[in-house]
Amino acid sequence: MNKILFLSNTANFSKFNRPYMRWFRERGWRVDYCSAGEERVEDCDNQYAIPIARSPFSLRNVRAYRQLKRLLIENQYDILHCHTPMGGVIGRLAARRLRAQGKIRVIYTAHGFHFYKGAPLVNWLLYYPMERWLARFTDVIVTINEEDYERARKSF
């Protein structure tokens, strides 16, 4: 049986993913969801609670990284689909060794990059280099607007 894990720092993103989660389940996949666990997630087989902090400077994310890495190894997912900025960072880092071994594919849906035309310089200095580096641990980047699509296509 194929397995996919959807990941976000908040369970609220599961509402965005529900049609995709249903699609996978209808095709016989096991669909799991990982978030802070603050609400019940519909249309998944297993729900895991790993609290990912929104702040990139929170030490809580070190613990979340270790928990997610263990979850990925134990469940041997075929696909990891990451959402939210910190979910994308922690997910891609936690999966990088498995991905390098060809054991998992990694998708990141960017719901709007923090670096965009007119964004503060600090956003460009902090988030752009990080996203560019993380792109090497990503099989697919999904964007939701034209500006992000063009930036991802040209830079990542």
Side-chain angles (χ1 to χ4, degrees), residues 113 141-156:
F113 290 133
I141 297 176
V142 179
T143 60
I144 62 168
N145 64 60
E146 190 67 28
E147 182 182 344
D148 287 352
Y149 170 76
E150 288 301 323
R151 175 90 47 226
R153 188 177 65 78
K154 290 177 183 173
S155 300
F156 310 143

Side-chain angles (χ1 to χ4, degrees), residues 4-131:
I4 184 170
L5 177 66
F6 287 84
L7 170 70
S8 60
N9 70 317
T10 174
N12 192 41
F13 265 84
S14 68
K15 294 171 182 78
F16 173 84
N17 288 308
R18 283 182 76 189
Y20 310 109
M21 293 162 64
R22 284 185 192 140
W23 186 90
F24 278 102
R25 286 183 87 195
E26 289 168 359
R27 284 151 183 80
W29 285 61
R30 185 177 108 189
V31 176
D32 293 350
Y33 206 94
C34 181
S35 66
E38 73 281 8
E39 63 184 75
R40 187 173 180 273
V41 174
E42 301 291 330
D43 295 313
C44 72
D45 296 298
N46 299 292
Q47 182 176 355
Y48 300 99
I50 295 178
I52 299 170
R54 288 186 68 180
S55 169
F57 307 109
S58 174
L59 291 178
R60 200 169 82 195
N61 287 328
V62 174
R63 186 168 156 202
Y65 164 81
R66 289 182 184 137
Q67 290 174 320
L68 179 59
K69 191 173 177 180
R70 189 174 328 116
L71 182 69
L72 294 173
I73 291 168
E74 288 172 1
N75 287 284
Q76 300 178 2
Y77 292 102
D78 298 285
I79 298 174
L80 171 63
H81 192 164
C82 308
H83 294 266
T84 66
M86 287 310 299
V89 169
I90 291 173
R92 291 182 283 177
L93 290 176
R96 70 183 166 179
R97 180 167 285 145
L98 292 171
R99 185 178 170 274
Q101 296 169 351
K103 295 181 180 179
I104 195 168
R105 306 276 300 184
V106 178
I107 302 169
Y108 173 53
T109 296
H111 295 267
F113 290 133
H114 288 296
F115 45 91
Y116 51 87
K117 292 176 187 157
L121 179 61
V122 69
N123 286 24
W124 281 91
L125 294 173
L126 180 65
Y127 297 111
Y128 178 79
M130 180 62 75
E131 190 59 46

